[in-house]
C-alpha cells in the first residue's frame, strides 16, 4: 500500500521509514511528525491496514445506529474510526498505553471523540459494561477465554464479530464428523450459533502474522440452554480425551470410573437431607457395581459404540440427561466433575424437542 494511503487511513506505524534521498528539511520534519510505533507480536498486535477489509467487517456486523459496540484491542484505531461513524458509542478496551494515546489522538478535536470511551486494562480481568455488539480484531493469544467471557456476559449481547487465527476459527464452526471438530466446537455451539463470514489473508496486517485469519459471527443462544456448564464440560473433557475412541472404551477406563464414583459420593454427602431424590446413604454406594451401571447405560442407549468425533452437541446433551435419568431410577447419581444440575434443566429427549 502506498505511504499516502497509509497516512490517509490513520496508520502512524510506518514500517519502512524514509527513503534514501528524502532526508532534506521537509523529510526530517515528516519523520519527526510521523513517529513509529513498535508493534509487539507477543501481545497479538497485528494492525489491520486494508480499509476495504475494515469496511467489509463493519458491514457484516449488522450494526444499528443506536448500538453500543465493544471493541477489544483497537490498536491504532483503524477499525474504531469506522465503527464510530456508524454507531452511537464505541467502548474500546486496550491494554497498551501507547495505543491508548494513539487512539485519543485520532479522535481529538473531532465529532467522533464524544462517542468513544476507552477502557485501559486487561480485558480478561475487567468487569464489562453494557454493550449490544462486540466487533474485534482479537488478540489471538487470548482467543478462547475471550470467547467464553463474552458468552458469559450479562445482559446478553446480540452478537460478536471476531477475527481469529483461521484454524481456531474453523474449530469454533466445525460440525460433528469434520476433522477439526473438538471440545472447543461443542462447548461454543452449546452456548451460541457460530458462522464463518470471511477468510482474511495475513498480508492485510502490519506486521503480518504467520498464518491467515478468519472473521466469524457468534450469536448467543437466547434463551440460553439451562445446564451447569462445569458439569457439561466435565463430561466433554472425558469424551474428547480420545476423540476417536468409542464412548464405551473411554468410560470403562479405571481413572474415569474412579472420578465418577468419587464425585458421586461427594455429591451425596453434600446433599444428604436436602435433595430427597438422593436420600440413599453414602455407604450403600460401595455395594453398587458402578462400572457396570455406567457401561450398561451407554450400551442400552446406543452411545457405547459411538465416537466423540461424530457426536453432535444435541446428542451430548441427551447423553448428559441420560446420566441423570438413570440416577432417578436406580438411586445412583452418576455425577460428572462438578455440582449437580436440577433435572428440570435438561432438554427433553431428542425426538421430543421442537425444531431449532
Amino acid at each position: 500500500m502506498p505511504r499516502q494511503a497509509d497516512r490517509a487511513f490513520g496508520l502512524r506505524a510506518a514500517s519502512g521509514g524514509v527513503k534514501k534521498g528524502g532526508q532534506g528539511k521537509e523529510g526530517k520534519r515528516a519523520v519527526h511528525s510521523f513517529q513509529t510505533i513498535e508493534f509487539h507480536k507477543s501481545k497479538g498486535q497485528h494492525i489491520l491496514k486494508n480499509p476495504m477489509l475494515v469496511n467489509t467487517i463493519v458491514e457484516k456486523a449488522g450494526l444499528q445506529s443506536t448500538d453500543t459496540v465493544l471493541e477489544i484491542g483497537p490498536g491504532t484505531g483503524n477499525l474504531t474510526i469506522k465503527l464510530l461513524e456508524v454507531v452511537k458509542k464505541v467502548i474500546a478496551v486496550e491494554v497498551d498505553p501507547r495505543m491508548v494515546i494513539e487512539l485519543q489522538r485520532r479522535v481529538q478535536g473531532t465529532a467522533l471523540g464524544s462517542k468513544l470511551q476507552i477502557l485501559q486494562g486487561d480485558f480478561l480481568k475487567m468487569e464489562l459494561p453494557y454493550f449490544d455488539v462486540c466487533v474485534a480484531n482479537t488478540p489471538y493469544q487470548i482467543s478462547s477465554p475471550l470467547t467464553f467471557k463474552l458468552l458469559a456476559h450479562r445482559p446478553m449481547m446480540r452478537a460478536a464479530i471476531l477475527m481469529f487465527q483461521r484454524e481456531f476459527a474453523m474449530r469454533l464452526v466445525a460440525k460433528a464428523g469434520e476433522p477439526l471438530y473438538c471440545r472447543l466446537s461443542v462447548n461454543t455451539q452449546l452456548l451460541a450459533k457460530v458462522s464463518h463470514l470471511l477468510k482474511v489473508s495475513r498480508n492485510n496486517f502490519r506486521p503480518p502474522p504467520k498464518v491467515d485469519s478468519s472473521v466469524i459471527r457468534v450469536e448467543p443462544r437466547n434463551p440460553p440452554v439451562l445446564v451447569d456448564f462445569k458439569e457439561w464440560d466435565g463430561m466433554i473433557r472425558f469424551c474428547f480425551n480420545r476423540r476417536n475412541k468409542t464412548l464405551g472404551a473411554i468410560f470403562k477406563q479405571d481413572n474415569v470410573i474412579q472420578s465418577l464414583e468419587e464425585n458421586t459420593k461427594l455429591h451425596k454427602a453434600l446433599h444428604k437431607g436436602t435433595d430427597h431424590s438422593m436420600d440413599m446413604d453414602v455407604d450403600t454406594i460401595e455395594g453398587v457395581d458402578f462400572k457396570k451401571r455406567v457401561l450398561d447405560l451407554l450400551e442400552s442407549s446406543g452411545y457405547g459404540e459411538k465416537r466423540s468425533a461424530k457426536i453432535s452437541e444435541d446428542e451430548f446433551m441427551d447423553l448428559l440427561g441420560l446420566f441423570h435419568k438413570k440416577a432417578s431410577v436406580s438411586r445412583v447419581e452418576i455425577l460428572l466433575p462438578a455440582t449437580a444440575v436440577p433435572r428440570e434443566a435438561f432438554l427433553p429427549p431428542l425426538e421430543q424437542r421442537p425444531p431449532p
Side-chain angles (χ1 to χ4, degrees), residues 194-218:
V194 189
S195 53
H196 183 267
L197 297 181
L198 68 152
K199 182 180 178 180
V200 180
S201 168
R202 70 196 75 181
N203 297 323
N204 288 290
F205 300 90
R206 176 171 293 156
K210 294 181 179 179
V211 296
D212 291 336
S213 301
S214 278
V215 179
I216 65 167
R217 182 180 183 89
V218 179

Side-chain angles (χ1 to χ4, degrees), residues 23-196:
Q23 296 273 356
K25 291 183 179 180
E26 293 299 322
K28 289 180 180 179
R29 281 198 291 269
V31 172
H32 179 72
S33 63
F34 194 64
Q35 297 297 324
T36 298
I37 297 177
E38 181 183 0
F39 297 128
H40 300 301
K41 290 185 178 181
S42 62
K43 295 181 180 179
Q45 292 179 343
H46 300 281
I47 308 302
L48 278 172
K49 67 178 186 179
N50 184 343
M52 293 183 63
L53 177 59
V54 170
N55 290 338
T56 300
I57 291 172
V58 174
E59 289 170 4
K60 288 184 176 294
L63 299 172
Q64 302 172 11
S65 60
T66 56
D67 280 339
T68 294
V69 171
L70 177 72
E71 185 185 8
I72 307 162
T76 56
N78 296 335
L79 179 57
T80 315
I81 297 300
K82 187 63 181 178
L83 291 170
L84 287 169
E85 294 173 355
V86 176
V87 301
K88 179 181 178 181
K89 181 180 180 180
V90 173
I91 302 170
V93 179
E94 176 59 63
V95 71
D96 191 334
R98 302 171 308 146
M99 300 298 177
V100 171
I101 293 172
E102 174 64 12
L103 197 52
Q104 292 170 333
R105 184 200 68 83
R106 292 283 298 272
V107 299
Q108 187 175 12
T110 72
L112 300 179
S114 62
K115 301 168 66 175
L116 176 64
Q117 177 185 356
I118 302 175
L119 301 179
Q120 184 178 340
D122 187 337
F123 168 79
L124 296 178
K125 296 179 180 178
M126 68 172 55
E127 184 175 345
L128 300 179
Y130 171 85
F131 63 94
D132 299 295
V133 178
C134 178
V135 182
N137 174 20
T138 310
Y140 293 159
Q141 72 273 26
I142 62 168
S143 296
S144 184
L146 179 149
T147 301
F148 288 104
K149 179 165 183 172
L150 288 174
L151 289 172
H153 180 67
R154 297 294 183 270
M156 192 179 291
M157 64 181 177
R158 187 168 77 244
I161 311 301
L162 304 171
M163 179 98 70
F164 288 125
Q165 286 185 344
R166 180 161 177 80
E167 182 173 337
F168 182 87
M170 300 314 292
R171 288 182 184 277
L172 289 178
V173 303
K175 301 298 182 184
E178 296 178 354
L180 291 178
Y181 186 65
C182 61
R183 176 177 154 234
L184 176 67
S185 316
V186 178
N187 282 344
T188 306
Q189 292 170 35
L190 171 77
L191 303 175
K193 178 182 177 183
V194 189
S195 53
H196 183 267

Side-chain angles (χ1 to χ4, degrees), residues 98-350:
R98 302 171 308 146
M99 300 298 177
V100 171
I101 293 172
E102 174 64 12
L103 197 52
Q104 292 170 333
R105 184 200 68 83
R106 292 283 298 272
V107 299
Q108 187 175 12
T110 72
L112 300 179
S114 62
K115 301 168 66 175
L116 176 64
Q117 177 185 356
I118 302 175
L119 301 179
Q120 184 178 340
D122 187 337
F123 168 79
L124 296 178
K125 296 179 180 178
M126 68 172 55
E127 184 175 345
L128 300 179
Y130 171 85
F131 63 94
D132 299 295
V133 178
C134 178
V135 182
N137 174 20
T138 310
Y140 293 159
Q141 72 273 26
I142 62 168
S143 296
S144 184
L146 179 149
T147 301
F148 288 104
K149 179 165 183 172
L150 288 174
L151 289 172
H153 180 67
R154 297 294 183 270
M156 192 179 291
M157 64 181 177
R158 187 168 77 244
I161 311 301
L162 304 171
M163 179 98 70
F164 288 125
Q165 286 185 344
R166 180 161 177 80
E167 182 173 337
F168 182 87
M170 300 314 292
R171 288 182 184 277
L172 289 178
V173 303
K175 301 298 182 184
E178 296 178 354
L180 291 178
Y181 186 65
C182 61
R183 176 177 154 234
L184 176 67
S185 316
V186 178
N187 282 344
T188 306
Q189 292 170 35
L190 171 77
L191 303 175
K193 178 182 177 183
V194 189
S195 53
H196 183 267
L197 297 181
L198 68 152
K199 182 180 178 180
V200 180
S201 168
R202 70 196 75 181
N203 297 323
N204 288 290
F205 300 90
R206 176 171 293 156
K210 294 181 179 179
V211 296
D212 291 336
S213 301
S214 278
V215 179
I216 65 167
R217 182 180 183 89
V218 179
E219 297 180 46
R221 296 192 183 277
N222 193 8
V225 175
L226 297 176
V227 64
D228 185 314
F229 186 76
K230 290 182 179 180
E231 184 182 35
W232 163 271
D233 188 50
M235 181 183 72
I236 299 301
R237 280 175 184 268
F238 280 141
C239 294
F240 278 93
N241 187 39
R242 294 289 186 271
R243 66 188 294 270
N244 289 314
K245 273 192 172 185
T246 64
L247 293 187
I250 291 172
F251 279 90
K252 72 167 54 174
Q253 297 176 79
D254 291 340
N255 63 321
V256 174
I257 293 298
Q258 182 181 358
S259 179
L260 293 176
E261 191 167 6
E262 287 177 354
N263 278 283
T264 298
K265 293 176 183 178
L266 175 61
H267 176 75
K268 289 186 177 294
L270 292 174
H271 291 79
K272 188 175 182 180
T274 61
D275 187 340
H276 297 298
S277 67
M278 302 177 191
D279 286 340
M280 184 175 66
D281 193 284
V282 177
D283 293 336
T284 63
I285 298 176
E286 300 292 348
V288 175
D289 188 340
F290 204 86
K291 188 172 186 176
K292 186 175 185 301
R293 296 274 186 178
V294 173
L295 296 180
D296 284 352
L297 169 63
L298 292 171
E299 183 179 354
S300 63
S301 63
Y303 284 111
E305 294 302 314
K306 292 189 176 183
R307 303 173 194 275
S308 299
K310 297 184 178 181
I311 299 177
S312 70
E313 169 261 320
D314 273 351
E315 289 175 310
F316 277 123
M317 180 63 77
D318 190 54
L319 176 60
L320 186 56
L322 286 173
F323 277 119
H324 284 265
K325 290 176 184 177
K326 182 73 175 179
S328 65
V329 172
S330 67
R331 314 289 289 178
V332 178
E333 184 72 9
I334 303 177
L335 182 69
L336 297 153
T339 55
V341 182
R343 286 174 175 76
E344 62 270 22
F346 293 100
L347 296 177
L350 288 174

